[in-house]
Amino acid sequence: MSEYVIEANNLSKTFGDFKALDNVSFKMPIGRIVGVIGENGAGKTTMLNAVLGLSSYEGDLRVNGHDPMKERNKLMQDVCFIADVATLPKWMKVSDVIDYVESVHPRFNRAKAMDFLNRTSVPLNRKVKALSKGMTVQVHLAVVMAIDAKLLVLDEPTLGLDIIFRKQFYQSLLEEYFDEERTIIITTHQVEEVEHILSDVIFIKGGKIVLEEEMEDLTQIFIELMVAPGNEEKAQALGPIRKGANFGRTTCIYKGVSREELNALGETRRLGLADIFVATMTGEG
Amino acid sequence: MNNNYIALIKRDFLEGKGGYLWAPAIALGIAVFFSLLPILGLTDSGNVFVINQDNIDLQEFLGRINEHTPEEISAGATFILSGFASLVWIPLPFVIVFTLLDQLYSERKDKSVLFWKSMPVSDTEEVLAKLIMPVFVAPIIYLGIFFAGTLIFAFILSIVSLFIGGPIIELWPIWNLIQGSIVLILTFFTMLLWTAPLLAWLMLVSAYAPKVPFIFAFAPPAFIIALEAIMFEGTKFAEWIGNRLGGWIEHVEGIRHYRVDDLEDLFRVSWDFLGSIIGHSLTSGSFWAGIIIAAAFLFGAIEIRKRAM
């Protein structure tokens, strides 16, 4: 078995003239939490749909050793996903959902799901359509967390949920689900909320991967400098990917310039993921 | 059948419980209600069945019950019980058509298809389960309710008979009812297999229709029929559909010459009839052509569902 849960080579997907995914190659190792970040229409969901066997693609793609489009049913024994829209069947009762998953999924642990649900206020005999948005996500999460999968894909899992629930969601994911045997892929717009749990990030723009790094390296590679007065020219000479002004002082963001070198020119700061994303997307990086 | 099919059929049963269980149960309730009216003397007529131009009238039957031989009573009871309970079947064709047309469409519309696809169940299993539940399991449920209905009517008749000092045992022609049920369901399944290309067409439409599957299902055949009528002044396509819907029975040899004199004859004739239609079907090229067309449509539905989101 490969040490990568996903191996993609020259993956492409076109809709008419539009290249939603343009010759993308990437590998995702086991035991990571990967954030896939990009603007709307950048190709995130297209990429995930290919990985999940939900849409056709060109190129070579293996997920846990399977061809997703041809062997989706086998793949789904080891892969779970929550799509970016509410997908639980609305006519079903919560207990019916649990019964159904138990009957078709060999890796589903009913006790785990019930334990998770018992900690929520979700009534088991209520139909999904009568649940609030937050409760629906809780049910889906209870199902997913009770499946012993190798890969979990979460596409905007907390969209439209309140902040307390979003915090809890990621906390349970990290504490109760994640381990070194699993890989989790998350796409979200709320980058700040996930950056502390991510181990890797992939930035996507216009159907291409523009950045693929481990989080630890990322904060070494991207540095913000608040330029000391008088050093502006030297700062410019180092080739910032983005310039701005803050409290009357020039700020520059650099990619791949050493911290020691920058420290001589002013104050350096660690950049948040959101800032790195914006700098990468709008700057020259 | 593997475990997935059982789980899928159970799920589809839950989703369509209204049509699979409540509709025939309510139809039975209505039948019971209307059967009680003549018994209670609230209406004049209790005509429920006509055979060989003889009305089998409930009031007359009960009123003169002691003038008949046990065989006649048993025969009359078989017709009356089956006749009343037959109301149960009325919703079934509608349930089959609308379920096949709706399932693959509505799971796309409400996005639940993404949840189903997150489970280790293949698209082939999904599509076949969605065919099996309404087309093969639903008729068996209906048959069970129909049979239960005949027993309920036997119970009602027995009580009435008890009051007027009539027989009881003869009002429970269980073996006749069982034979009748078997002939009925096998005839029904044979007829369904003839309609297979039409049923599979509904599933194909359900899998691809972007909206209002009803129109996508019925507009193309209507268009072809109209086109054929205008361009070639022909009715071949309409005839083909009519043939599928039951017209084929006209071509079964021998079944028009049956004569029914008594109940025993009727069952002999029924079994003969069943044998004839099954024999005819299995040796008919048109029947197998229909099955192949149906398989092609189902294959299409499966392939489209693989790409459904």
Side-chain angles (χ1 to χ4, degrees), chain A residues 49 52-56 69 72-74 76-77 79-81 83-92 96-97 99-101 103-106 140 143 147, chain B residues 3-8 10-17 110-126 303 305-309:
Chain A
N49 285 342
L52 295 168
L54 297 174
S55 73
S56 57
M69 194 59 191
R72 182 189 54 76
N73 55 324
K74 285 185 193 149
M76 288 304 150
Q77 301 217 354
V79 177
C80 275
F81 69 89
D84 60 343
V85 285
T87 61
L88 285 183
K90 295 179 180 53
W91 57 269
M92 263 188 162
D96 294 335
V97 173
D99 288 345
Y100 172 75
V101 178
S103 59
V104 296
H105 210 305
H140 207 158
V143 167
I147 292 174
Chain B
N3 190 33
N4 278 355
Y5 279 106
I6 293 167
L8 293 172
K10 193 178 156 205
R11 175 200 69 187
D12 291 342
F13 170 75
L14 283 179
E15 184 173 16
K17 214 172 173 181
D110 71 6
K111 297 279 176 195
S112 60
V113 65
L114 288 173
F115 176 72
W116 307 126
K117 284 190 166 212
S118 73
M119 294 292 136
V121 176
S122 71
D123 296 285
T124 307
E125 288 170 318
E126 283 277 6
E303 286 302 309
R305 192 186 187 273
K306 280 185 187 169
R307 291 155 182 83
M309 284 201 290

Side-chain angles (χ1 to χ4, degrees), chain A residues 23 38 58 100 141 152 168 195 200 208 226 231 241 279:
Chain A
N23 258 327
E58 291 156 49
Y100 172 75
L141 194 66
L152 172 62
Q168 283 170 353
E195 68 172 304
D200 299 72
K208 286 181 182 291
M226 197 173 265
N231 285 338
I241 58 167

Side-chain angles (χ1 to χ4, degrees), chain B residues 186-198:
Chain B
L186 293 178
T187 306
F188 187 77
F189 281 140
T190 310
M191 297 187 76
L192 269 182
L193 287 175
W194 275 91
T195 64
L198 308 180

Side-chain angles (χ1 to χ4, degrees), chain B residues 2-247:
Chain B
N2 79 28
N3 190 33
N4 278 355
Y5 279 106
I6 293 167
L8 293 172
I9 286 168
K10 193 178 156 205
R11 175 200 69 187
D12 291 342
F13 170 75
L14 283 179
E15 184 173 16
K17 214 172 173 181
Y20 297 139
L21 190 64
W22 300 127
I26 289 168
L28 177 60
I30 293 169
V32 169
F33 175 75
F34 281 104
S35 75
L36 289 176
L37 295 183
I39 288 170
L40 297 172
L42 295 174
T43 61
D44 288 338
S45 172
N47 281 351
V48 288
F49 218 79
V50 180
I51 185 154
N52 283 357
Q53 284 94 44
D54 280 338
N55 284 350
I56 299 195
D57 180 299
L58 185 61
Q59 278 172 328
E60 191 187 298
F61 175 74
L62 287 171
R64 293 165 52 192
I65 200 160
N66 286 321
E67 298 168 20
H68 295 286
T69 65
E71 288 75 25
E72 283 171 342
I73 295 170
S74 175
T78 304
F79 285 120
I80 285 180
L81 299 178
S82 307
F84 269 128
S86 62
L87 205 61
V88 162
W89 295 96
I90 291 174
L92 186 57
F94 301 97
V95 168
I96 291 175
V97 168
F98 286 102
T99 304
L100 292 178
L101 200 48
D102 179 64
Q103 294 176 120
L104 292 169
Y105 171 72
S106 64
E107 67 169 15
R108 285 184 290 132
K109 199 173 139 209
D110 71 6
K111 297 279 176 195
S112 60
V113 65
L114 288 173
F115 176 72
W116 307 126
K117 284 190 166 212
S118 73
M119 294 292 136
V121 176
S122 71
D123 296 285
T124 307
E125 288 170 318
E126 283 277 6
V127 171
L128 291 184
K130 286 184 187 311
L131 174 74
I132 292 167
M133 179 61 229
V135 173
F136 295 103
V137 180
I140 304 225
I141 297 172
Y142 273 67
L143 184 72
I145 293 172
F146 167 78
F147 196 78
T150 60
L151 300 184
I152 290 171
F153 289 118
F155 180 73
I156 294 170
L157 284 189
S158 300
I159 290 178
V160 177
S161 186
L162 200 66
F163 275 105
I164 58 176
I168 303 288
I169 301 292
E170 286 76 11
L171 296 176
W172 294 78
I174 300 291
W175 175 235
N176 289 346
L177 293 173
I178 290 174
Q179 280 195 79
S181 295
I182 295 171
V183 171
L184 184 69
I185 198 72
L186 293 178
T187 306
F188 187 77
F189 281 140
T190 310
M191 297 187 76
L192 269 182
L193 287 175
W194 275 91
T195 64
L198 308 180
L199 300 179
W201 163 252
L202 297 177
M203 290 200 87
L204 180 68
V205 169
S206 187
Y208 80 71
K211 53 179 89 169
V212 209
F214 188 84
I215 291 174
F216 280 85
F218 293 99
F223 178 74
I224 294 173
I225 289 169
L227 197 70
E228 191 194 350
I230 294 163
M231 305 271 289
F232 309 104
E233 293 180 356
T235 55
K236 286 248 181 317
F237 189 65
E239 280 167 28
W240 183 81
I241 291 177
N243 194 41
R244 294 279 147 195
L245 289 172

